[in-house]
Amino acid sequence: MATVLGTSASSSSIVAMLASRSLSSYSTTSSLPSFSPIPGFGQGRKFYGGIGVKVRKRRSQFQVSVSNVATETGPAQEQAKRLVSTESQRPVYPFSAIVGQDEMKLCLLLNVIDPKIGGVMIMGDRGTGKSTTVRSLVDLLPEIKVVAGDPYNSDPNDPDLMGIEVREKISKGEELSITLTKINMVDLPLGATEDRVCGTIDIEKALTEGVKAFEPGLLAKSNRGILYVDEVNLLDDHLVDVLLDSAASGWNTVEREGISISHPARFILIGSGNPEEGELRPQLLDRFGMHAQVSTVKDAELRVKIVEERARFDRNPKEFRESYKAEQEKLQQQISSARSSLSAVTIDHDLRVKISKVCAELNVDGLRGDIVTNRGARALAALKGREKVTAEEIATVIPNCLRHRLRKDPLESIDSGLLVIEKFYEVFS
């Protein structure tokens, strides 16, 4: 028995000696600069219950103090960051290189010019480039002013688009750190959980600091940006309810384990799908401002051109994107110019009356059709560089604004654009 006790005692003393030696060696070497093959990272050792675990410590060369709100960096540093993030991203097919599908491209551009149009629903055959076109929109998105370090992309000038923390800072008279960032596009996967979409409790803070903290979800990330749902007609009903609530109010309210928090969630909702795989709930369909119908290209020459362009992109994406750089920049300038001149575009009262007459004679439920048609016509006029809306702009956008609002019979096709055009010429003639 004494031998056993002596052995255990000696082993425990050895463990204590090794632990103290490790601790003393760590404390003496931690003050020295550590060198690592990766710049900005150092290697150290943390102890959890006497067990040494290697960790990586990041050293920031721009921030002096640790804060939960990022400080504003200089223009050269911001440009370097954007360049690094752009080069590290997966190459995106250029928007200008997409052949055909003019209706879909126009609806997307009008929503970027005026986000209050309410998004676009794209329905069509599989393999027609719906998701490719939507994701190619990323390169054309303009920059917006946001509060630096804010998880909700709060607008420093619009209280309706501010998070609660930013409002409190303004009420206290604190100065906000403002930075420019591109409009964000967030993908909502079909298998996403409700907690990931709405936000949930920050488990890390709860365990380490013992406080209840909110971890923002995809709705917070998409505020003032674009929320894209591929195969939206296959989305689970509980996620559809979440999108309906946020799209209606522009705010997302989360009730989780004693935490009640609300944050702005105004986004451009873009959905795509194949009608053969299932229909969309009427409540969600009505929330889309515009509807674009996509069909397979029948012209043999255009099909060959599409195949050749895609082959070029797959061979060398960087070279292919460079060949369309001038067209992309030109289109980006048109969008920026249209966004800045949108408020100056006017529409005559008699044209507004005729738009409402078309909606009334087509038995369109509610007034969303009237509002979206007016907004779409103004956005198209701004894109064309006009200061006044004409009947030409209205004729272009009115089928996309009213087509998906006419279906009364479940067996009727969603494509009622011809009926809208006939009624338009009957009223505007």
Side-chain angles (χ1 to χ4, degrees):
M1 190 70 179
T3 309
V4 175
L5 289 173
T7 307
S8 61
S10 60
S11 61
S12 61
S13 61
I14 291 171
V15 171
M17 182 178 65
L18 290 174
S20 61
R21 186 176 299 173
S22 301
L23 283 168
S24 61
S25 63
Y26 174 71
S27 61
T28 54
T29 55
S30 59
S31 61
L32 296 175
S34 58
F35 296 94
S36 175
I38 304 175
F41 288 88
Q43 290 190 345
R45 187 179 295 271
K46 282 188 179 178
F47 284 79
Y48 299 93
I51 301 173
V53 181
K54 284 189 176 181
V55 295
R56 304 172 80 186
K57 300 182 296 182
R58 181 161 188 163
R59 300 193 309 272
S60 173
Q61 51 186 332
F62 301 117
Q63 290 180 324
V64 179
S65 61
V66 180
S67 173
N68 58 348
V69 178
T71 55
E72 190 170 5
T73 55
Q77 297 166 1
E78 285 289 338
Q79 189 175 2
K81 278 169 143 184
R82 289 176 200 161
L83 186 61
V84 170
S85 63
T86 304
E87 290 178 350
S88 62
Q89 288 177 355
R90 186 174 60 183
V92 180
Y93 198 85
F95 189 86
S96 305
I98 294 173
V99 180
Q101 312 299 6
D102 295 331
E103 180 180 326
M104 172 173 56
K105 292 193 289 186
L106 178 62
C107 291
L108 291 172
L109 290 177
L110 295 183
N111 273 273
V112 174
I113 293 171
D114 187 1
K116 291 183 178 179
I117 288 176
V120 55
M121 177 67 198
I122 305 169
M123 291 296 253
D125 304 330
R126 60 180 67 88
T128 49
K130 300 185 294 292
S131 57
T132 301
T133 306
V134 174
R135 292 190 173 98
S136 67
L137 200 64
V138 172
D139 290 337
L140 303 178
L141 297 178
E143 291 185 335
I144 54 174
K145 287 184 178 180
V146 299
V147 178
D150 184 72
Y152 312 117
N153 298 323
S154 295
D155 190 336
N157 302 317
D158 190 353
D160 290 336
L161 298 174
M162 288 182 185
I164 297 175
E165 293 180 359
V166 176
R167 289 186 178 188
E168 290 177 353
K169 287 183 179 181
I170 292 179
S171 63
K172 292 177 182 177
E174 297 182 17
E175 188 177 351
L176 298 177
S177 178
I178 302 172
T179 184
L180 285 174
T181 182
K182 289 195 74 170
I183 292 178
N184 196 20
M185 177 179 286
V186 179
D187 277 281
L188 176 60
L190 294 179
T193 61
E194 188 174 345
D195 286 348
R196 183 68 188 101
V197 175
C198 298
T200 184
I201 299 297
D202 192 337
I203 301 297
E204 185 181 353
K205 279 193 176 181
L207 293 176
T208 57
E209 302 176 16
V211 296
K212 291 181 180 178
F214 177 68
E215 183 178 354
L218 296 179
L219 292 180
K221 191 177 180 182
S222 63
N223 184 43
R224 301 181 68 202
I226 295 175
L227 183 64
Y228 175 51
V229 189
D230 195 9
E231 306 294 347
V232 65
N233 47 343
L234 304 180
L235 196 65
D236 289 340
D237 287 344
H238 68 281
L239 293 182
V240 172
D241 295 335
V242 169
L243 290 181
L244 283 172
D245 187 34
S246 299
S249 62
W251 283 77
N252 176 40
T253 303
V254 181
E255 302 283 348
R256 293 281 191 281
E257 288 85 11
I259 287 184
S260 177
I261 188 169
S262 296
H263 64 80
R266 292 189 181 273
F267 46 81
I268 303 172
L269 183 59
I270 299 179
S272 62
N274 184 359
E276 295 178 359
E277 297 174 354
E279 293 293 339
L280 196 62
R281 280 173 59 178
Q283 300 95 321
L284 184 58
L285 184 64
D286 189 59
R287 289 293 175 185
F288 287 98
M290 305 182 82
H291 180 277
Q293 190 73 28
V294 182
S295 57
T296 307
V297 177
K298 302 297 183 183
D299 188 359
E301 292 292 334
L302 283 180
R303 292 171 76 105
V304 170
K305 185 177 180 182
I306 294 171
V307 172
E308 290 177 346
E309 293 286 270
R310 185 68 207 191
R312 279 182 55 207
F313 176 76
D314 292 338
R315 252 192 328 267
N316 193 336
K318 189 175 181 181
E319 182 181 337
F320 184 80
R321 286 170 57 84
E322 283 292 326
S323 64
Y324 281 93
K325 188 176 180 180
E327 295 181 33
Q328 290 280 98
E329 290 178 352
K330 181 180 178 182
L331 188 54
Q332 196 170 13
Q333 289 175 359
Q334 285 181 341
I335 293 173
S336 300
S337 176
R339 282 172 62 94
S340 59
S341 63
L342 178 63
S343 57
V345 178
T346 59
I347 179 170
D348 291 338
H349 179 71
D350 59 336
L351 291 180
R352 294 180 186 269
V353 172
K354 289 181 178 179
I355 290 173
S356 296
K357 189 176 181 182
V358 171
C359 295
E361 294 188 6
L362 288 173
N363 296 320
V364 176
D365 293 335
L367 296 174
R368 285 200 185 101
D370 306 56
I371 296 172
V372 172
T373 304
N374 279 272
R375 289 189 179 278
R378 291 178 65 241
L380 181 57
L383 182 62
K384 292 181 176 179
R386 296 179 178 175
E387 297 180 354
K388 212 169 189 181
V389 174
T390 63
E392 180 184 349
E393 284 82 41
I394 299 174
T396 303
V397 302
I398 199 168
N400 306 110
C401 299
L402 302 181
R403 175 194 289 147
H404 57 299
R405 308 179 195 274
L406 303 184
R407 188 176 53 168
K408 306 294 182 183
D409 185 1
L411 300 178
E412 184 183 351
S413 171
I414 198 172
D415 188 10
S416 305
L418 184 60
L419 182 61
V420 177
I421 288 293
E422 289 177 355
K423 185 60 67 176
F424 169 82
Y425 284 113
E426 180 183 329
V427 172
F428 276 76
S429 61

